[in-house]
Amino acid sequence: MSENQSTQNTSSSTDKTAADLSSIDAVVIGAGFGGMYALHSLRESGLSVRVFDAAAGIGGTWWWNRYPGARVDFPGGPFYCYTFSEQLIQEWDWAETQPDQSSVLAYLNHVADKFDLRRNIQLNTHVESAVFDSTSQRWTIQTNQSETVSAQYLICALGTLSAANRPEIPGMETFTGQCYHTGQWPSDPVDFTGKRVGIIGTGSSGIQAIPLIAEAADQLTVFQRTPQFTIPSGNQPIDPALVQEARQDWPAMRQRMMKSPLGAPYTVSSLSAKDHTAEQRQAKYEQQWRKGSLGILFETYHDVLTNKESNAELAEFIRCKIRETVHDPLVAEKLLPNYHLGTKRQVLDNDYYATYNRDNVNLIDLRTNPILSINPTSISTKNSTTDSLDQHPLDMLILATGYDAITGAIQRLDPKGLDGISLSAQWSERFSTYLGMTIPNFPNLFMIHGPESPSVLFNMPLGAELQSDWIRDCIQHLKDNHQNTITASADAATAWSKEVENIASQTLYADTESWYTGANIPGKHRQFAVYLGGPAYYSKLADIAANDYPGFGLQPTDLK
Ligand code: NA7
């Protein structure tokens, strides 16, 4: 990787001005981890690239998710970051193992400056439509800035958790207090002092925010639909020895990451839970619980996520921790989750359960006390045992209600492919991709972290790099072979979707109602959206490239 080169690379061939924006090699939508690297990688290969992002700053997810407590929920530190540049690894110091939002955003801004990315990123620009023109064999992209851009390639780096889910609750629009979605958090500080705050949702965002809001607010009422398992994050200062090890031989560390199921240097245990006695197992769980982070799922026993008994025992271990931590047994009972541990997005927390011991925190279980309406200054719930109505007065309402995950952003963009077919029509019953990156009938459209790719269950910055480089090489292959378009075949996509489903069916993930299956969005069809085969995915990508792109149709430059 030529980072020195890249900072000096201001060549006019890749630096389109506004005047010639109308025709460009590639448009990238999204300036988060994925889009920024796609820009870098494609620009380095000599393409003219324009990135559009609706936000006022770069960072994607890390730009929008400014809610209190937002942190990396992946083994962080030197591992949740770009891996392509050894110099970047040597020079950037992460402070904590689970960096907070502002640290990640600072890092991304540093990257944008170091690699001179900003000159090709246009902020405050929402892409309104993307239409493939079968005559010119190019994409026409229209923005809310009244621009029309023609591009040969369209790279959708839209984010897996960017299409906010705002639940339709009667009276929502009548609420007169401040109301924020965690994924659209304002840049100006939000002051909770003296306020009665309500929060709906106890996924990663809610669980990260609740302890901090409880400390700052007068009263906090948590509206919980499904209790989730959460594990202490184990956040701590980065171990300098680990940093030194990573920096001493970064290529070796990168290789180790690429070969691991999560894309981080975690070692998955070779033991089954059955290999140990009950006492040995409890000791292992306890040790990992104290350490914090995701080791309890992966470094204890390899069958935690595939074997119901192994899973159930560890789940019960965590339920015991909840009962031990929460003083009021009735509150503890409401917090006990009842699904296969780890099969919803695994949450990492800082003092979440203990927060319910505070006098100013009230937990409403929506399974027994559903919300009837949101009113100008309160939420009304109905106690289904007594039939009574309860009013919860609020000055501020926080929606930690998640996202139309993984497929939501591209479906909202709703690109139009060959013969004007819309993605929403093509995916009206099921979505189907080839390799999680391409879609039949959508020539030259590539997705970073698309549905049916490893996306949210692999190290996302590393995954984005590997996918972007594959796209770059694919485009080079087209050029070298005088081809103009590449399109996934329907058969290849069907086979890929089956493979994704087969792998998921060998785990406990598919049994659980989660945003991985689309179950969190009313009316969304159930389909598992993540490729769970881990690093095998990247070997497949390499094989496809090495074998002249089987499963794709290529069309020569002069066909039309
Ligand atoms: P999640 O994990 O989808 O959590 C959303 C939460 O909101 C979850 O508890 C949902 O309950 C709840 N929810 C959603 N709609 C409703 C309605 N209508 N009523 C009540 N409760 C509702 O999103 P997050 O933002 O927390 O996490 C995404 C993160 O994952 C991301 O930020 C990364 O950190 C990784 P449910 O479980 O669906 O019953």
Side-chain angles (χ1 to χ4, degrees), residues 73 161 167 200-205 225-226 344-345 400-403 515:
D73 61 358
L161 296 160
I200 304 178
T202 50
S204 291
S205 306
R225 185 163 74 181
T226 310
K344 276 175 174 271
R345 174 73 181 190
T401 45
Y403 303 87
W515 51 258

Side-chain angles (χ1 to χ4, degrees), residues 173-231:
E173 68 294 344
T174 65
F175 186 69
T176 53
Q178 291 158 279
C179 180
Y180 305 111
H181 189 286
T182 49
Q184 297 169 337
W185 201 260
S187 298
D188 292 336
V190 174
D191 187 5
F192 302 101
T193 319
K195 299 226 164 60
R196 296 164 303 178
V197 180
I199 182 165
I200 304 178
T202 50
S204 291
S205 306
I207 288 176
Q208 287 184 333
I210 283 164
L212 293 175
I213 298 174
E215 277 175 18
D218 190 27
Q219 287 289 326
L220 176 64
T221 306
V222 178
F223 297 90
Q224 170 193 267
R225 185 163 74 181
T226 310
Q228 293 224 24
F229 287 106
T230 157
I231 295 168

Side-chain angles (χ1 to χ4, degrees), residues 294-454:
L294 298 176
I296 200 163
L297 293 183
F298 300 100
E299 294 182 331
T300 49
Y301 301 105
H302 67 74
D303 50 2
V304 165
L305 294 174
T306 51
N307 181 288
K308 282 188 183 164
E309 283 172 30
S310 309
N311 189 285
E313 184 179 78
L314 183 49
E316 192 50 32
F317 171 87
I318 297 183
R319 287 190 204 99
C320 288
K321 291 291 177 195
I322 299 172
R323 292 189 191 99
E324 271 170 40
T325 308
V326 179
H327 300 160
D328 181 335
L330 293 177
V331 176
E333 200 60 30
K334 290 187 214 171
L335 288 165
L336 299 182
N338 185 23
Y339 59 91
H340 300 310
L341 170 67
T343 57
K344 276 175 174 271
R345 174 73 181 190
Q346 185 54 54
V347 183
L348 298 179
D349 74 277
N350 292 298
D351 293 330
Y352 175 68
Y353 293 124
T355 298
Y356 291 95
N357 295 330
R358 297 178 66 101
D359 290 340
N360 69 335
V361 177
N362 184 21
L363 177 64
I364 306 297
D365 182 348
L366 297 180
R367 295 167 301 179
T368 51
N369 295 258
I371 295 177
L372 282 186
S373 65
I374 298 183
N375 317 306
T377 56
S378 67
I379 287 187
S380 310
T381 56
K382 181 180 177 180
N383 184 318
S384 48
T385 318
T386 62
D387 247 11
S388 61
L389 285 188
D390 292 317
Q391 295 291 341
H392 308 278
L394 299 177
D395 305 306
M396 188 190 289
L397 177 59
I398 293 165
L399 301 174
T401 45
Y403 303 87
D404 184 351
I406 306 176
T407 55
I410 193 151
Q411 282 185 301
R412 288 183 192 185
L413 174 67
D414 199 16
K416 310 290 182 295
L418 288 174
D419 302 321
I421 188 162
S422 70
L423 189 69
S424 53
Q426 182 158 316
W427 283 2
S428 62
E429 288 181 12
R430 294 180 69 76
F431 56 83
S432 183
T433 72
Y434 184 34
L435 304 171
M437 274 202 286
T438 58
I439 308 167
N441 292 323
F442 290 80
N444 290 2
L445 182 154
F446 299 95
M447 296 174 289
I448 310 280
H449 295 316
E452 304 182 324
S453 75

